[in-house]
Amino acid sequence: MYLLARLDKSVLLNACLFFAYFLILVWVNNNYIYSLYHYMGSAEKDIDFGLCVYLLCLGLGCALLCGGSIRRPGDLLITLMVMVLVPHALVLNGANRFSPDASPWSGVSLAVAMGILLIGLANKIRFRRHENVQGASGSRALVLIAALNVAVLAFIVMKSIGYFSFDFGGQYVRRLIAREVFAAGSMSGYLASIGTQAFFPVLFAWGVYNRRSPYILLGFLNVLILWGAFGQKYPFIVLGLIYGLMLYFRRFGQIKLSWIITAVLLVLLAGAIEYEVFGYSYLNDYLLRRAFIVPSTLLGAVDQYVGQFGANFYADTLLATLFGQGREEALTFQLGTEIYKNPDMNANVNFFAIAYMHLSYWGVFIESLFVAGAVILMNFLFSRYQAFMAVPVAILFTTKVLEQSLLTVLLGSGVFVMLMVLVLMSLPFASFSRYKA
């Protein structure tokens, strides 16, 4: 085990690209996107010389934290966090009516920065490859997971057959019905969540990387059934993300960070061009608004919520029941009720923000340590025992914590289960016993 500390030309290039990404995002927000969500609280962000200097320093810090390319599971996790959460919390902070004076040095913005920095530093730990031990292939475990996934899909279809539909207009109706049929905290709810959203990203990624058609088709089947039964669009985005990353990873063995930043930059500019040409942009309304403006506005609501009600002390989790207290309504619904005045709104935010609402900066520090530990574990298995399965598990982990609490991700979404499966598939237990003898 050793620490990596290296500064090269690729890091300097990425710092410039990050600066361009952040500055163009603010420009696009002000001119094309914020008005699409103004009715829910989004706003413009003032651009001045001070902001430019700040974004330049932020870009350099992000480039140093991410490095030049994605080579390991932890690189993927920290890169996605920086690409997604830094714009929400540290670039578009204050671009909303809830906390227009938000500063990167306080509130939820500081909480996100602190958490990403802690996890990023943990990702700098490197492990040398073990020369004599090879991890288990895990093919039997994958077959078992696939069989369980198919069984859960059949269960979901049977439970939702009365309202199951692929109709685009009825997606929100299906979501409301599914909340009752697959109620949160119920056995059917846990089964549906773990048996699909924990399994299919890993199976699909494995199928794309190894050219296994059954696993690829199973991934598409999961997405279609989740859309028909729950009205979820999110799995489509996950599927596209996994497909692109795995193809690139299979071809080149690594993913250059500069390519990812450039791709996002081009999408931002494409939305602006589409609007200028046609007077309306589907990219802005259906992708960029949801990817950037909605989450940044929600974080402004988090700041206002904490300012009014203070820390929650995990009162909406199972931890409250363990200490003999009544379990409150989920924080994301409290956010919708108290700030947006809509009790049916589930205001999903990233796990840093939820930890901040639970226990302020201490909550962020403690939960970030858990994620940092998971990063070290995945990097260890990947580097030392060539456990490629850690990459799709890292994708699963990251896409979940971007808009859910850590406890929900580990238990309700099945990430803890997949981490344990990864350990069992990767560690050469037979070799350990032989060496011990």
Side-chain angles (χ1 to χ4, degrees):
M1 184 176 72
Y2 60 98
L3 289 173
L4 178 68
R6 182 176 58 195
L7 181 65
D8 55 27
K9 293 181 180 179
S10 66
V11 172
L12 297 177
L13 170 63
N14 292 338
C16 295
L17 288 173
F18 268 124
F19 171 65
Y21 168 37
F22 297 153
L23 191 60
I24 290 175
L25 176 60
V26 175
W27 174 74
V28 168
N29 169 76
N30 291 352
N31 292 279
Y32 300 101
I33 311 182
Y34 94 89
S35 57
L36 300 172
Y37 202 62
H38 182 67
Y39 69 99
M40 290 294 283
S42 64
E44 291 185 78
K45 184 178 178 70
D46 294 334
I47 300 179
D48 54 24
F49 180 74
L51 177 66
C52 293
V53 173
Y54 163 71
L55 294 181
L56 182 61
C57 295
L58 183 64
L60 178 59
C62 290
L64 288 171
L65 204 60
C66 293
S69 61
I70 298 173
R71 301 173 182 270
R72 306 170 308 139
D75 299 339
L76 180 58
L77 186 144
I78 197 64
T79 297
L80 289 178
M81 282 189 173
V82 167
M83 291 294 299
V84 176
L85 298 186
V86 167
H88 298 168
L90 297 167
V91 177
L92 293 176
N93 57 296
N96 59 82
R97 72 165 184 260
F98 303 110
S99 56
D101 299 323
S103 164
W105 324 117
S106 63
V108 71
S109 297
L110 178 59
V112 172
M114 184 178 75
I116 291 179
L117 179 61
L118 181 60
I119 297 169
L121 291 176
N123 185 53
K124 295 298 181 182
I125 299 175
R126 295 295 196 263
F127 299 95
R128 292 185 173 85
R129 178 175 176 175
H130 200 299
E131 298 297 335
N132 299 319
V133 179
Q134 294 182 350
S137 64
S139 58
R140 293 181 180 178
L142 284 173
V143 172
L144 176 60
I145 292 172
L148 291 173
N149 178 239
V150 171
V152 171
L153 291 178
F155 169 75
I156 291 174
V157 171
M158 289 188 293
K159 288 273 289 186
S160 62
I161 196 66
Y163 66 90
F164 191 96
S165 171
F166 295 125
D167 176 48
F168 185 83
Q171 59 179 301
Y172 296 106
V173 175
R174 296 200 298 277
R175 289 184 191 182
L176 291 174
I177 298 174
R179 286 179 187 174
E180 297 181 3
V181 177
F182 301 93
S186 67
M187 186 61 68
S188 61
Y190 279 121
L191 184 63
S193 178
I194 296 174
T196 56
Q197 297 186 53
F199 290 167
F200 95 81
V202 175
L203 294 171
F204 181 74
W206 181 262
V208 173
Y209 185 79
N210 292 281
R211 298 187 177 92
R212 302 290 180 88
S213 298
Y215 293 119
I216 296 175
L217 293 174
L218 189 56
F220 282 105
L221 181 62
N222 273 266
V223 170
L224 290 175
I225 290 179
L226 288 172
W227 169 250
F230 297 91
Q232 294 182 358
K233 293 178 288 188
Y234 170 74
F236 287 98
I237 299 175
V238 174
L239 206 69
L241 174 66
I242 292 174
Y243 187 79
L245 288 175
M246 289 300 100
L247 279 183
Y248 199 97
F249 212 102
R250 185 182 69 197
R251 182 175 179 82
F252 299 104
Q254 61 177 333
I255 303 172
K256 290 186 177 180
L257 181 61
S258 59
W259 284 93
I260 297 177
I261 307 172
T262 302
V264 177
L265 269 171
L266 292 176
V267 173
L268 287 171
L269 293 174
I273 294 171
E274 183 185 14
Y275 181 86
E276 293 294 339
V277 173
F278 300 105
Y280 173 78
S281 172
Y282 286 95
L283 268 176
N284 289 341
D285 205 356
Y286 287 93
L287 176 61
L288 299 179
R289 177 182 65 88
R290 183 64 186 87
F292 295 105
I293 310 308
V294 174
S296 65
T297 304
L298 288 173
L299 291 185
V302 168
D303 267 333
Q304 182 176 327
Y305 180 91
V306 173
Q308 290 181 3
F309 301 98
N312 173 266
F313 298 104
Y314 292 93
D316 66 319
T317 69
L318 288 174
L319 294 176
T321 60
L322 293 177
F323 291 99
Q325 301 175 10
R327 186 174 178 179
E328 295 181 359
E329 183 182 38
L331 267 177
T332 52
F333 280 100
Q334 292 182 44
L335 196 61
T337 301
E338 300 296 341
I339 306 301
Y340 287 91
K341 309 304 178 185
N342 181 1
D344 295 324
M345 180 179 179
N346 186 13
N348 288 321
V349 290
N350 63 74
F351 92 94
F352 294 122
I354 296 177
Y356 177 68
M357 287 193 286
H358 277 146
L359 201 59
S360 191
Y361 299 113
W362 278 110
V364 176
F365 178 74
I366 294 169
E367 294 195 17
S368 297
L369 283 180
F370 278 98
V371 177
V375 166
I376 293 172
L377 172 64
M378 290 186 290
N379 285 343
F380 171 75
L381 296 175
F382 180 85
S383 300
R384 194 162 179 82
Y385 298 109
Q386 298 81 60
F388 180 79
M389 183 59 69
V391 174
V393 172
I395 296 176
L396 170 66
F397 202 170
T398 310
T399 54
K400 291 300 180 183
V401 296
L402 291 180
E403 60 175 11
Q404 290 182 348
S405 72
L406 183 60
L407 285 174
T408 300
V409 168
L410 291 176
L411 302 178
S413 297
V415 170
F416 180 77
V417 173
M418 293 311 300
L419 285 172
M420 293 302 98
V421 170
L422 174 64
V423 171
L424 293 174
M425 290 173 57
S426 306
L427 289 179
F429 294 105
S431 299
F432 283 156
S433 61
R434 183 172 66 250
Y435 289 157
K436 184 177 180 180

